[in-house]
Amino acid sequence: MTPAAADPRASLVICPHAGGSAAAYLKLVRAYPSWLATMVVQYPGRAQRIQEPYARSIGELAANTAAAILTCVDGPIVLLGHSLGSLVALETARILAAEGREPVALYLSGRGDPSAPPKGGQHLLDDTQLIEHICALGGTDRRIFDDAAMRALALEVIRADYRVLSAYRYHRGRLLHCPVTVLNGAEDPAVPVGSANAWAEVTRGAFAQHVFPGGHFFILDHVEAVADLMSSGLLSQLPPDPAGRVTPVNGTAL
């Protein structure tokens, strides 16, 4: 992935979707301007963390993400989560706020009302049903399921993430103060556009929603538009004096 900016003004941390890895966001990472150091969380059980046990809860993913941020990121923090990653980003933001490091902005993508009971059960589908479910959402090349070994590994990762998702229970908790922006795909079969308005209740700050063309994985199909929207919004929120810029972070996976 692209290296972090040499002298960034803020650090963006991206929390992937269920079954996703940091590599899926390579094009998006490259679309951001050079003043924004961009990293993607690598959940355990995949890529270089393949030997690590899968997380048991959204809370565990959030706690580990927050710990990594607090360890290696100074200065303004921005969080972006897609689908399952939106819940990870929210809970990470709450932990950071409790530590006095609340993000300057929170972006939540491809996820509806966080308080709605999870549909759940996808991890219990048989292989054929789960593959059809994943492919119906888009964003996944069906050919990865043609190879038996790759199919087994991919389905194991997806089931682990869906198991975590099905166990999640939203709590109103501590309200954030940062602006929250929700991003949705107009044709997302899993997230009715109106259902995302409920995200407004997680913050005392400003709330905005932007709808893009496309389905559940619009964020990977419109990387330039997403990056432009976020970077222009962040420029209006960050102080003009860059004296307090963040320490560069080598690499883009947390």
Side-chain angles (χ1 to χ4, degrees):
M1 289 191 176
T2 56
D7 193 14
R9 291 183 58 188
S11 290
L12 167 64
V13 177
I14 301 174
C15 302
H17 56 280
S21 68
Y25 293 82
L26 176 58
K27 289 183 179 179
L28 181 60
V29 167
R30 287 175 171 167
Y32 289 106
S34 60
W35 53 263
L36 186 62
T38 306
M39 295 153 280
V40 186
V41 177
Q42 190 76 280
Y43 300 146
R46 65 213 77 193
Q48 72 270 28
R49 302 185 67 186
I50 195 169
Q51 299 298 327
E52 299 179 36
Y54 298 115
R56 294 164 294 181
S57 67
I58 295 289
E60 181 181 332
L61 288 171
N64 291 339
T65 299
I69 291 171
L70 291 170
T71 298
C72 66
V73 177
D74 295 325
I77 300 163
V78 182
L79 291 175
L80 165 64
H82 182 67
S83 198
L84 171 143
S86 287
L87 301 176
V88 177
L90 170 65
E91 300 300 342
T92 300
R94 287 172 164 176
I95 295 171
L96 293 175
E99 295 291 332
R101 294 289 308 280
E102 181 168 342
V104 296
L106 176 62
Y107 290 84
L108 305 164
S109 167
R111 186 76 192 174
D113 183 351
S115 65
K119 295 178 181 178
Q122 289 94 339
H123 61 288
L124 300 176
L125 297 174
D126 65 33
D127 288 358
T128 300
Q129 292 172 324
L130 185 55
I131 290 171
E132 291 304 316
H133 168 75
I134 293 299
C135 291
L137 291 175
T140 301
D141 188 339
R142 187 182 286 269
R143 288 175 296 182
I144 71 168
F145 299 114
D146 291 341
D147 178 85
M150 288 186 63
R151 180 173 63 249
L153 178 58
L155 292 179
E156 181 179 316
V157 170
I158 292 166
R159 281 198 171 92
D161 287 352
Y162 272 141
R163 189 176 297 112
V164 162
L165 184 58
S166 67
Y168 177 77
R169 295 298 181 270
Y170 172 81
H171 60 98
R172 193 162 188 266
R174 172 176 179 161
L175 293 180
L176 301 171
H177 292 83
C178 66
V180 170
T181 303
V182 168
L183 312 176
N184 295 105
E187 293 85 41
D188 188 340
V191 184
V193 170
S195 69
N197 292 330
W199 281 109
E201 76 163 29
V202 306
T203 186
R204 299 183 189 275
F207 175 79
Q209 182 179 17
H210 296 271
V211 180
F212 292 82
H216 190 62
F217 286 100
F218 72 91
I219 191 172
L220 302 181
D221 296 328
H222 300 284
V223 294
E224 296 291 346
V226 170
D228 287 348
L229 172 73
M230 291 180 59
S231 57
S232 61
L234 289 171
L235 282 175
S236 67
Q237 294 160 9
L238 293 171
D241 182 0
R245 293 178 179 182
V246 298
T247 301
V249 178
N250 293 322
T252 57
L254 280 180

